[in-house]
Amino acid sequence: MNVKWKTSALMDDIPLRYKFLIILLGVLIPIISINTLFYLQTSKNAETREQENLQISVERAGYDFMQMVNECVAIGNTVAADRTLNEMLDYNYADYDEYYENYDNILRDRLRQYSNLHSYILWLGVYTTNPTIQSGNSYFVLQDSDKNSEWYQKIAGSKEKVLLTSYLDTNPMYPNQKKVYISIIRKMDNYPGLLKHTKYLRIDLRLDSLKELFAKERDYMTLKLIDDKNRIVLASDQSHDDAGDSQLLSLPVESGASGDGAIKDIIRPLGPANYTQGWNLVGTPERKDISGELRHILRFILILALITTLIPAILFVVILRSYNLRVKQLYKHMKLVNYERFETIHMYEGKDEIGGLLRSFNVMTEKIRNLINDVYKLEIQKKDLELERVRAELNYLQSQVDPHFLFNTLNAVLVICKKYKYEQVTDIIRNLAQILRRLLSWKDDLVTIEEEVMFIEMYLQIEKFRFQDRFSYELDVDPGLMKYRIPKMSIQALVENSCKHGLQSVKGARLIRIGIHRSYEDLIITVEDNGIGMNKDKLDWINRNLHSDDDTGKNIGLRNVYKRLKVYYDGQAKLVIESDPYVRTAIVIQIPLNQVQAQAGGEIHV
């Protein structure tokens, strides 16, 4: 055979494991490059996760801060709803003594209890326009300096009852300096009848408590509290104990990435309540500029990927030309095997593993073509042997039925003849002749239910003649089932079994009932007698014997009926024995109607 491609022929002689090694080396480098790119992508994903973690930190700090604010608002609502306190603050006192008497009795600890319970409250007090109040402790008369303060002007000019505000006010420790305050201001106007004097509740928060709250997140970011005027009120990286006005009036905070690869600032609005509108908590992470390094690595990886892809591509093309054509031919011929076409591959095979595979395939197809005829013939012979085995089994079972039945019938006639001295035997002899004639004329093992019932009735007339008035029988057959075909003497064997074993020892009236009915999709055949029956142990033994393959020589009639039903109906027929000693014994056969119709050669329309 001519070699078309010398390069391909040379490569065909190289063992396959070395080819795989070459491919592995060619693929390994691109894989490393891809993993490097994957690492870069993972780094980006890590930055995203870090951004999410920082968002969680800001949310956690904002939630804790709002817990403080909301609790202070709740305290303000409680104080504003205190009618006694409002009455005391709205009342015009005649002199100092009257005021201090009410102060000692009612006002002194009225507000202190709240600041004692909450450590983050710096101070809590009420400002009022009632001039009869003596300023001090938690109650103050509004002065001109108070009315000029930022907090007063905000609450006085607002329609809201509650206000969260930040402002600069005198530092009690250093009167010449000002200090940043964060306060919740509440109008005390719940009672229309107690509005002679204006009253405001002010709750100052401890900045140290807020600093501690922010400090929990200092390992992740710098937190800044921004008020509704976009001013930095508090930052975790600086102190406001001696803050000047310039710190409160810092430039607005801007969010977003700076375009240099750093993580974005995170802005979290404090909440939807009116008193928190415009307030934000800003988280600024530790920024690290890594974009230059990332760009350098990216360029390096791209160049490396280009180089490491080019060389494996060349190697792969050479190797591919070595085995691609042969593998495609092998694949094509293997697909033909699915259609039972065993064709030999005619091409240069080579000396490598693929060449060996091609040679093995050609040898295999040749052997298959040689063996297929033998296998086909053996299969046909096997099926023929199986069919002969089934036929032999049926003939064996049938051969046991006829002699057994004839023996019992002749025995019954013998007993009758002896008892009645050969008198009144005309009918019984006629029935026996008809039975023998029908046995000889039945060539097929399948008969109609109508024929089986006629055969049973002739047999029962013989038994009736034998027992006279002490024996009776009942036939209840659905007329629509008469044309169905079943194995011959399958019901008669059960009737014979009842007469011989069930009614033989009964002294009273003997009764046999035969019923053939349709139940849903099943044919139900019932043979019932009032004979001696059997106890549970014997019934269990008979059931085991029926389903066993061992031939014990007992219950031949039942075993033959059951085996024949199993053979004819693919094991779907059922035979059940029920017995209540000296009351009732019943044998029930259940056969799917579709199986009966199949044996009859198709559907039977009734």
Side-chain angles (χ1 to χ4, degrees), residues 44-58 221 255-257 261-267 283 285 287:
K44 293 181 180 179
N45 294 339
E47 290 182 4
T48 302
R49 289 194 299 270
E50 183 66 21
Q51 186 81 19
E52 293 174 354
N53 293 335
L54 295 176
Q55 182 71 38
I56 293 173
S57 297
V58 173
M221 62 175 59
S255 64
I263 300 177
K264 299 178 180 179
D265 288 349
I266 300 171
I267 299 178
R287 302 181 183 274

Side-chain angles (χ1 to χ4, degrees), residues 533-550:
M534 62 195 81
N535 56 32
K536 186 177 183 303
D537 293 338
K538 185 175 181 181
L539 183 61
D540 293 340
W541 182 88
I542 291 176
N543 284 323
R544 289 194 303 270
N545 187 35
L546 286 179
H547 295 83
S548 174
D549 293 332
D550 297 333

Side-chain angles (χ1 to χ4, degrees), residues 178-197:
K178 288 190 175 182
K179 177 182 177 181
V180 176
Y181 285 87
I182 301 176
S183 302
I184 292 89
I185 313 298
R186 175 67 159 85
K187 294 180 180 179
M188 298 178 64
D189 55 358
N190 286 23
Y191 300 101
L194 301 175
L195 298 177
K196 290 187 297 182
H197 302 289

Side-chain angles (χ1 to χ4, degrees), residues 437-567:
R437 186 179 301 109
R438 188 168 294 272
L439 286 174
L440 294 174
S441 63
W442 274 347
K443 296 181 179 179
D444 297 331
D445 199 32
L446 289 176
V447 298
T448 63
I449 292 178
E450 183 179 11
E451 291 178 301
E452 182 75 6
V453 170
M454 292 176 59
F455 190 84
I456 292 170
E457 193 166 10
M458 287 189 292
Y459 174 77
L460 289 175
Q461 289 177 2
I462 295 175
E463 293 295 329
K464 175 72 175 176
F465 181 78
R466 175 185 177 186
F467 294 106
Q468 297 298 321
D469 294 336
R470 291 182 297 122
F471 175 80
S472 61
Y473 62 88
E474 296 177 2
L475 288 170
D476 184 9
V477 183
D478 185 349
L481 303 175
M482 286 295 193
K483 299 303 180 183
Y484 282 98
R485 296 169 66 83
I486 61 175
K488 67 180 180 180
M489 300 185 70
S490 55
I491 305 177
Q492 189 278 336
L494 304 180
V495 174
E496 180 184 348
N497 189 74
S498 295
C499 292
K500 180 180 178 182
H501 301 289
L503 302 178
Q504 189 77 25
S505 302
V506 176
K507 295 181 179 180
R510 300 168 173 86
L511 175 63
I512 290 182
R513 294 188 182 92
I514 298 107
I516 305 175
H517 302 282
R518 180 200 304 263
S519 176
Y520 298 102
E521 300 299 327
D522 295 327
L523 173 66
I524 305 298
I525 301 172
T526 304
V527 178
E528 180 180 350
D529 64 67
N530 63 343
I532 59 174
M534 62 195 81
N535 56 32
K536 186 177 183 303
D537 293 338
K538 185 175 181 181
L539 183 61
D540 293 340
W541 182 88
I542 291 176
N543 284 323
R544 289 194 303 270
N545 187 35
L546 286 179
H547 295 83
S548 174
D549 293 332
D550 297 333
D551 190 356
T552 60
K554 298 181 179 180
N555 303 108
I556 295 175
L558 284 175
R559 285 173 59 87
N560 285 346
V561 170
Y562 181 62
K563 286 188 175 183
R564 291 167 67 203
L565 291 174
K566 284 179 61 179
V567 171

